[in-house]
Amino acid sequence: MGKMLNEFKDFAMKGNVVDMAIGVIIGGAFGAIVTSVVEDLITPIIGAIFGQPDFSAITLGPIQLGNFINAVVNFLIIAICLFAVVKAINKLKKPAPAPKAARKCPFCKSEIADDATRCPHCTSELKLAK
């Protein structure tokens, strides 16, 4: 039992599990912000332009078709808002610098250190990289 508890502790304390838990919590808080933006800002603007944006009165007998349409419209609005936020965040990120290509021995084509004067593989004399 102790071994299994230690294995679970090691699993739970791994960086990716903790990062994922933090992401879920922040995602829930962010979801509340996005829902507020949709319900309090965007939906009233759509209602002012196109009339009342509530489709809940549409029914097909016992099927509440209007509620489904409301859910689809809300999903599309949220998806568009999230797309805009992610696009804006990606613009703010600086691209990672391209990794420097490894120096290769001109004789045996093995990778060598930048400050090497001899190839450790074929022992050829090398000029220092500039």
Side-chain angles (χ1 to χ4, degrees):
M1 183 69 176
K3 181 181 177 187
M4 193 162 108
L5 187 61
N6 284 336
E7 286 178 15
F8 177 75
K9 183 180 127 190
D10 291 341
F11 167 76
M13 291 300 146
K14 282 185 180 176
N16 55 357
V17 173
V18 174
D19 291 344
M20 187 174 64
I22 291 169
V24 168
I25 292 167
I26 290 178
F30 186 71
I33 292 171
V34 171
T35 300
S36 176
V37 167
V38 169
E39 291 176 356
D40 301 330
L41 299 174
I42 295 175
T43 302
I45 291 171
I46 292 173
I49 295 171
F50 300 108
Q52 185 64 20
D54 184 17
F55 303 104
S56 60
I58 300 172
T59 60
L60 249 114
I63 299 172
Q64 299 292 323
L65 188 61
N67 289 338
F68 174 72
I69 294 171
N70 277 340
V72 170
V73 169
N74 283 341
F75 170 78
L76 291 174
I77 292 170
I78 289 171
I80 291 168
C81 289
L82 286 176
F83 175 75
V85 167
V86 169
K87 193 165 177 82
I89 289 172
N90 286 340
K91 277 188 178 181
L92 295 175
K93 287 183 182 178
K94 294 180 182 177
K100 185 180 174 185
R103 184 176 171 206
K104 294 204 178 266
C105 173
F107 302 102
C108 70
K109 306 300 183 203
S110 298
E111 286 188 17
I112 53 175
D114 285 338
D115 59 347
T117 56
R118 280 197 181 269
C119 176
H121 305 283
C122 69
T123 69
S124 299
E125 285 191 44
L126 306 168
K127 294 181 182 176
L128 279 176
K130 294 181 184 178

